[in-house]
């Protein structure tokens, strides 16, 4: 179990995307262990079921491919009843250039646009909060609203990743603004794991990949559980205000802390522009 005591989550339902491995699997395990009914929303149901079979608590596996809006819509259409917490955890990092089923650049399509559509489609069912997992590498990102899908720029895998993770934070900013304006009790929060021991960086190649793998044993938190702590805290702490951004406290296993936001990842004008473009691209609008 995690080093962060969780409240009793009995009677609560949580969806965790990308819960078939890494931080998503840890997040699902810990939430179910605290009493929540956890739905593992995964691209590979067999892999997700293997994870669910090792979890003590109430779980369910449902297919979800964030790189295919038809799959996102099907997941949301099949949902019935209230949903307390949505954890937008799934992500890909520094993959070779490619396109989603809908023609989006893979990283912005999976990490941001898929979760954007999923959140808006499930929003009428949500009762408590949305937690979107970003990255410290969002600080390296830049949102190009004129070329979000890397159709004119020379593709850079890490640049595309940084843009997608910055998009996660700006999505949270604008979602919370809209929820507050509507008088909704639902909160939008975000979290990042620091450098956690997962296989997210498996696509890194060349000198950059070699440097990361050389440095990794010295900078990574040794257990994925530590990387999941900010997400778990964002998903369960009762007193967090909307648009809180949680990160590790730096000691690997202590109480997560609220991160300082930068001007770039909290820019309301860019957040609004990204939201409007995301609605146009996904054809999913705020309910």
């Amino acid at each position: 179990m995690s080093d962060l005591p969780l409240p009793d989550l009995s009677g609560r339902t949580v969806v965790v995307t990308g819960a078939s491995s890494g931080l998503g699997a840890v997040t699902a395990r810990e939430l179910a262990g605290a009493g929540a009914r956890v739905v593992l929303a995964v691209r590979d149901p067999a892999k997700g079921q293997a994870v669910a079979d090792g979890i003590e608590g109430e779980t369910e596996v449902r297919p979800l491919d964030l790189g295919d809006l038809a799959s996102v819509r099907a997941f949301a259409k099949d949902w019935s009843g209230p949903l307390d917490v949505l954890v937008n955890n799934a992500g890909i990092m520094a993959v070779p250039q490619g396109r989603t089923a809908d023609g989006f650049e893979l990283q912005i399509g999976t990490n941001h646009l898929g979760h954007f559509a999923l959140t808006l489609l499930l929003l009428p069912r949500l009762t408590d909060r949305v937690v979107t997992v970003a990255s410290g590498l969002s600080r390296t990102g830049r949102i190009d609203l004129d070329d979000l899908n890397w159709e004119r720029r020379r593709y850079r895998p890490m640049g595309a990743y940084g843009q997608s993770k910055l998009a996660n934070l700006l999505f949270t900013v604008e979602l919370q603004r809209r929820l507050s304006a509507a008088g909704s009790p639902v909160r939008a929060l975000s979290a990042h794991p620091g450098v956690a021991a997962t296989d997210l960086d498996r696509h890194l190649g060349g000198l950059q990949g070699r440097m990361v793998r050389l440095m990794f044993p010295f900078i990574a938190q040794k257990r994925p559980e530590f990387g999941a702590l900010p997400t778990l805290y964002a998903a369960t702490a009762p007193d967090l205000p909307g648009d809180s951004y949680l990160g590790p406290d730096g000691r690997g296993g202590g109480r997560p802390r609220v991160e300082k936001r930068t001007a770039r990842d909290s820019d309301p004008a860019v957040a609004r522009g990204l939201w409007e473009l995301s609605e146009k691209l996904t054809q999913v609008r705020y309910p």
Side-chain angles (χ1 to χ4, degrees):
M1 300 298 288
S2 76
D3 296 350
L4 179 70
L6 299 182
D8 181 5
L9 302 177
S10 299
R12 294 172 69 78
T13 298
V14 182
V15 167
V16 181
T17 69
S20 60
S21 64
L23 300 179
V26 173
T27 300
R29 184 191 73 202
E30 299 299 318
L31 295 173
R37 168 186 171 237
V38 179
V39 176
L40 289 74
V42 297
R43 188 170 57 179
D44 185 340
K47 190 175 178 182
Q49 191 60 55
V51 171
D53 289 344
I55 293 177
E56 293 185 9
E58 185 180 358
T59 60
E60 180 183 349
V61 176
R62 296 194 185 189
L64 172 67
D65 183 353
L66 290 160
D68 185 346
L69 290 179
S71 175
V72 174
R73 290 181 183 277
F75 183 95
K77 184 179 179 180
D78 289 344
W79 191 268
S80 61
L83 170 61
D84 296 288
V85 181
L86 170 62
V87 180
N88 291 324
N89 163 83
I92 55 176
M93 177 180 177
V95 297
Q97 187 170 19
R99 298 284 155 183
T100 69
D102 303 282
F104 308 137
E105 185 274 317
L106 274 175
Q107 297 189 78
I108 197 71
T110 302
N111 297 352
H112 167 62
L113 292 170
H115 280 130
F116 175 89
L118 178 69
T119 301
L120 267 60
L121 290 168
L122 290 176
L123 201 54
R125 303 286 189 179
L126 274 161
T127 64
D128 185 7
R129 69 188 81 184
V130 179
V131 178
T132 301
V133 179
S135 167
L137 289 173
S138 64
R139 294 175 182 271
T140 70
R142 183 175 72 87
I143 301 294
D144 188 335
L145 295 177
D146 294 322
D147 191 22
L148 194 71
N149 284 300
W150 296 80
E151 294 167 321
R152 293 186 293 276
R153 290 177 286 172
R154 179 184 177 187
Y155 181 72
R156 295 184 297 110
M158 285 302 294
Y161 179 71
Q163 177 184 246
S164 72
K165 293 288 102 178
L166 178 57
N168 290 154
L169 293 176
L170 292 169
F171 166 60
T172 300
V173 168
E174 180 63 9
L175 177 58
Q176 184 58 54
R177 186 191 71 80
R178 289 170 179 256
L179 290 168
S180 296
S184 171
V186 176
R187 289 168 285 172
L189 305 98
S190 51
H192 79 89
V195 183
T198 72
D199 64 350
L200 189 61
D201 64 341
R202 63 188 179 277
H203 295 287
L204 285 177
L207 177 61
Q208 187 176 50
R210 291 194 295 273
M211 289 297 293
V212 167
R213 279 178 273 280
L214 179 65
M215 297 278 297
F216 195 81
F218 302 100
I219 62 176
Q221 299 167 18
K222 298 299 186 289
R223 292 165 50 201
E225 286 84 352
F226 293 159
L229 290 179
T231 301
L232 290 168
Y233 189 65
T236 62
D239 55 348
L240 289 172
D243 199 27
S244 294
Y245 181 30
L246 283 298
D249 69 355
R251 295 189 297 274
R255 182 184 179 91
R257 67 186 179 192
V258 176
E259 294 281 333
K260 292 182 179 179
R261 302 295 292 264
T262 68
R264 180 179 292 183
D265 67 37
S266 55
D267 187 315
V270 178
R272 189 173 297 114
L274 176 64
W275 183 285
E276 292 170 354
L277 178 57
S278 300
E279 284 190 332
K280 179 180 179 180
L281 291 171
T282 64
Q283 291 298 295
V284 179
R285 300 190 180 280
Y286 185 76

